[in-house]
Amino acid sequence: MILTQKQTCQLGIRLSIHQQHSKIDQILIHQQIELLEVLTGFETNNKYEIKNSFGQRVYFAVEDTDCCTRNCCGPSRPFTLRIIDNMGQEVMTLERPLRCSSCCCPCCLQEIEIQAPPGVPVGYVIQTWHPCLPKFTIQNEKREDVLKISGPCVVCSCCGDVDFEIKSLDEQNIVGKISKHWTGILREAFTDADNFGIQFPLDLDVKMKAVMLGACFLIDFMFFESSGNQEQRSGVW
């Protein structure tokens, strides 16, 4: 069988993702500070460095959203997040549609689709309705439930880390966590540039590791992103 150039490219991207993700059990995500945003409050596209446990950059993530959407919809905005490797190749795409930003509307809660390579869905993160706790379900490409994520009742990063636990489907076993790291009083007070860490089993399916990245970005936008006069949320409401 002769592969087309597009198929060959997608196969190369899949191999690259597998090689990167199969070796890691921890990912660090550092959002870059945007000077224009700090000085003017004008919302710019978010940019992130994605590093391994040794602090080596393995990916770079950049938001692709138009100016009107960013500044009118704020943290609730739909977005496309493009994840690029060190060779400049786009290896993953995250798509967040416009959804209700409050649990008062349980039929239209938050979700994000993870594509790796771009155009090929490998999983989804779906917000699960709960009156008090931030809860999410991790699904595979067939939309079958695989894992759960549960956060604290009050999502506040005041002088400490905030942990979202990754659990088995029955929620009896904790298999990892997504942590929003405390970055200091000045950075927390004057910017919305956040640092995250993701921990998961080394033998977790590489597709699910990619989906964990999507979960982290969704959590960042939902609870730790502020825009103009809109403060970050402290809970599901």
Side-chain angles (χ1 to χ4, degrees):
M1 181 179 63
I2 300 176
L3 298 178
T4 65
Q5 184 177 0
K6 181 178 180 181
Q7 289 172 326
T8 303
C9 181
Q10 288 184 338
L11 179 59
I13 291 174
R14 286 195 184 99
L15 290 174
S16 174
I17 294 171
H18 187 274
Q19 290 170 352
Q20 290 283 5
H21 287 184
S22 62
K23 304 173 185 175
I24 58 177
D25 59 0
Q26 183 178 11
I27 296 175
L28 304 175
I29 301 174
H30 296 162
Q31 184 176 354
Q32 294 187 340
I33 296 176
E34 299 294 333
L35 188 58
L36 177 64
E37 192 171 315
V38 173
L39 295 177
T40 66
F42 186 83
E43 187 70 23
T44 59
N45 278 320
N46 287 356
K47 299 180 180 69
Y48 306 82
E49 285 190 313
I50 302 172
K51 303 178 180 180
N52 60 22
S53 57
F54 299 105
Q56 301 167 326
R57 195 178 90 174
V58 291
Y59 297 120
F60 185 76
V62 59
E63 180 187 356
D64 183 5
T65 308
D66 64 82
C67 177
C68 181
T69 300
R70 288 197 309 272
N71 289 279
C72 292
C73 298
S76 301
R77 63 186 180 266
F79 63 75
T80 298
L81 200 67
R82 306 190 187 281
I83 299 181
I84 303 164
D85 65 15
N86 290 328
M87 301 298 291
Q89 178 76 49
E90 184 178 346
V91 294
M92 281 185 276
T93 303
L94 312 181
E95 296 278 359
R96 180 201 191 188
L98 183 63
R99 289 288 188 270
C100 181
S101 60
S102 173
C103 267
C104 64
C105 186
C107 62
C108 194
L109 297 178
Q110 296 293 318
E111 69 173 75
I112 192 168
E113 178 185 270
I114 296 84
Q115 303 170 6
V120 181
V122 295
Y124 305 84
V125 183
I126 310 296
Q127 184 184 7
T128 306
W129 188 88
H130 192 279
C132 301
L133 300 176
K135 284 183 173 287
F136 303 87
T137 300
I138 302 295
Q139 298 179 334
N140 61 19
E141 67 273 21
K142 298 178 181 178
R143 288 197 174 268
E144 298 169 336
D145 296 351
V146 178
L147 293 167
K148 299 282 188 177
I149 296 177
S150 181
C153 182
V154 178
V155 183
C156 178
S157 58
C158 183
C159 301
D161 294 351
V162 180
D163 292 335
F164 289 75
E165 296 175 337
I166 304 170
K167 300 180 178 181
S168 57
L169 276 181
D170 60 8
E171 300 193 43
Q172 297 302 307
N173 299 309
I174 299 175
V175 300
K177 65 179 179 179
I178 297 173
S179 300
K180 194 276 182 185
H181 295 157
W182 168 253
T183 56
I185 185 66
L186 291 178
R187 182 163 175 158
E188 294 284 345
F190 295 105
T191 78
D192 61 359
D194 302 310
N195 290 343
F196 288 86
I198 310 174
Q199 297 177 22
F200 39 62
L202 186 64
D203 59 353
L204 183 67
D205 185 277
V206 292
K207 293 180 180 180
M208 289 301 102
K209 291 181 181 181
V211 176
M212 292 303 166
L213 264 180
C216 183
F217 287 119
L218 181 60
I219 288 170
D220 179 29
F221 273 82
M222 286 183 63
F223 300 107
F224 303 106
E225 178 84 359
S226 58
S227 176
N229 294 325
Q230 299 183 42
E231 298 299 325
Q232 68 183 44
R233 296 166 59 185
S234 59
V236 294
W237 298 97

